[in-house]
Amino acid sequence: MCKVSVVIPVYGVEAYITHTMQSLQNQTFRDFEIILVDDGSPDQSIAVAKAALENSDLTYRILTQENSGQGVARNTGVAAAKGEWIYFLDSDDVIQPQTLERMLELTEEYPAADIVYTDYQYVYEDVFRKGPVTEEKVTAFTREEMLEGFLLRKKVVLVPGTLYRKSFLEDNNIRHIGIRWSEDQLFMWNVLSYVKQVVHTSRVLYNYFRHPGSTMSATPTGRVVDAYAVWKETMPRLGDENTKRFALARWVLGCIRVYAQRSNYAQWKGLAESLEVTKHMEVLLRFPSWPVRVFALAGVANKRLLYWLCSVGKTK
């Protein structure tokens, strides 16, 4: 047994994973295990990670599976975890030295907390970055506050970089669903539908590394359409009344905004029709945020107008 299990899906990150392992070696808190889940990686990622850990005092295990995606790999890691708490870490990201120590301190200060999350920053090059030095603010939220904030995009909770009580995940049968687009957001909706208390610290403790191979950088539209089918089936069972009413439509708007930045109108229109965009924009006409209602009004009036609005700022 240990206090924390750090679960890391591994796929195609041999150029980055050494720094991820180094950030774990630098942790001021030491009672944790590392679970590396080899998701059928085609390169030497696992060998590189193992070489980085061999001479350290850290406990680690390597699990293997056929390539099934990041979410399934996380499920594999959680099933094998011995820790009281689960911490997901992506295999190309890095965390600050005090990350685990500070988050566990908050679990002691707030014993009713089911999850603890922190602020984060994007990192665009393979270096460590210190978080901005600001006065820390710690806040405890209820389920209702988190659902509302997550729906309105006022509370941003990443799946990696968040600490989860393992018994909370197990008791509520919360698992990743094996889709290849937006699986993190769907997982977090599931989590927030069952939490009793969530604790947040404004300290920047997670560095989210963005690079050309990142999932969000290039995903085929077919995966988005496949994910839509799962979202349609799953979301009616989650959250409160506002979640059931608006979350799917709000997700569709997010998808078409992303793809408007990447594609021409004809390509975008095909995806929008597959996602039943007109129906969802009609729902969003009553969304509790006026910027979203502007997009919804454009979508109901004219698809080309909606595309233009979504693609504002698109680089040519």
Side-chain angles (χ1 to χ4, degrees):
M1 295 296 293
C2 58
K3 196 68 175 177
V4 182
S5 295
V6 179
V7 175
I8 308 174
V10 179
Y11 184 88
V13 289
E14 64 180 9
Y16 315 111
I17 198 168
T18 296
H19 282 178
T20 306
M21 297 302 99
Q22 184 179 344
S23 74
L24 290 171
Q25 292 183 47
N26 291 342
Q27 290 303 295
T28 54
F29 178 84
R30 309 302 288 179
D31 185 18
F32 67 93
E33 65 171 350
I34 301 169
I35 302 178
L36 298 161
V37 184
D38 180 1
D39 185 32
S41 183
D43 63 4
Q44 296 300 307
S45 296
I46 289 295
V48 172
K50 187 175 179 181
L53 293 172
E54 274 183 332
N55 295 323
S56 75
D57 64 342
L58 299 179
T59 299
Y60 71 94
R61 286 181 283 157
I62 298 171
L63 308 179
T64 60
Q65 64 178 38
E66 293 184 2
N67 178 245
S68 305
Q70 180 171 255
V72 175
R74 288 175 178 157
N75 291 340
T76 298
V78 171
K82 298 178 181 178
E84 178 184 348
W85 294 86
I86 301 293
Y87 185 82
F88 295 122
L89 174 61
D90 284 355
S91 52
D92 52 0
D93 295 339
V94 299
I95 57 178
Q96 304 302 115
Q98 300 82 21
T99 296
L100 296 180
E101 179 181 14
R102 181 60 187 135
M103 297 181 86
L104 286 164
E105 287 174 350
L106 292 174
T107 69
E108 298 294 330
E109 295 172 27
Y110 297 88
D114 295 309
I115 71 172
V116 177
Y117 76 104
T118 77
D119 280 359
Y120 65 94
Q121 63 185 350
Y122 287 115
V123 177
Y124 293 91
E125 52 188 288
D126 196 13
V127 296
F128 289 108
R129 295 250 182 108
K130 292 183 178 180
V133 179
T134 59
E135 183 176 347
E136 182 182 32
K137 180 181 180 181
V138 176
T139 312
F141 298 107
T142 64
R143 176 194 297 127
E144 292 73 22
E145 290 170 329
M146 289 302 302
L147 287 171
E148 179 183 12
F150 198 62
L151 179 66
L152 297 176
R153 308 291 174 90
K154 292 182 177 180
K155 292 181 174 61
V156 181
V157 193
L158 297 179
V159 171
T162 295
L163 192 67
Y164 308 81
R165 192 184 299 274
K166 186 184 180 188
S167 60
F168 161 75
L169 296 178
E170 292 176 334
D171 293 347
N172 294 288
N173 194 29
I174 298 173
R175 296 169 53 84
H176 285 80
I177 298 175
I179 54 178
R180 300 297 184 103
W181 170 262
S182 205
E183 63 183 344
D184 279 16
Q185 191 178 157
L186 188 57
F187 176 82
M188 191 53 68
W189 272 121
N190 205 352
V191 167
L192 297 182
S193 295
Y194 292 98
V195 291
K196 294 183 177 63
Q197 186 182 66
V198 174
V199 174
H200 169 253
T201 171
S202 62
R203 288 182 65 178
V204 176
L205 297 176
Y206 195 89
N207 296 288
Y208 191 97
F209 185 43
R210 304 298 294 271
H211 56 85
S214 297
T215 302
M216 290 296 290
S217 299
T219 299
T221 57
R223 290 187 179 181
V224 182
V225 176
D226 290 344
Y228 176 57
V230 176
W231 274 73
K232 281 181 67 175
E233 179 184 356
T234 306
M235 287 310 299
R237 303 195 297 267
L238 299 180
D240 56 12
E241 288 307 310
N242 272 344
T243 304
K244 292 178 173 65
R245 184 179 184 185
F246 293 120
L248 177 61
R250 181 65 185 86
W251 176 81
V252 167
L253 176 58
C255 292
I256 62 172
R257 289 187 69 182
V258 168
Y259 272 85
Q261 300 291 318
R262 306 178 184 176
S263 56
N264 61 37
Y265 175 69
Q267 294 167 332
W268 176 89
K269 184 181 178 183
L271 176 64
E273 290 176 349
S274 296
L275 300 185
E276 303 175 292
V277 70
T278 301
K279 178 179 73 174
H280 292 301
M281 293 308 101
E282 290 173 351
V283 171
L284 292 179
L285 288 172
R286 294 174 176 79
F287 191 79
S289 169
W290 71 262
V292 171
R293 293 199 298 271
V294 170
F295 282 93
L297 185 60
V300 171
N302 185 281
K303 281 192 177 69
R304 190 173 288 274
L305 177 60
L306 177 60
Y307 171 75
W308 175 83
L309 196 59
C310 290
S311 63
V312 169
K314 178 180 180 180
T315 57
K316 299 181 179 180

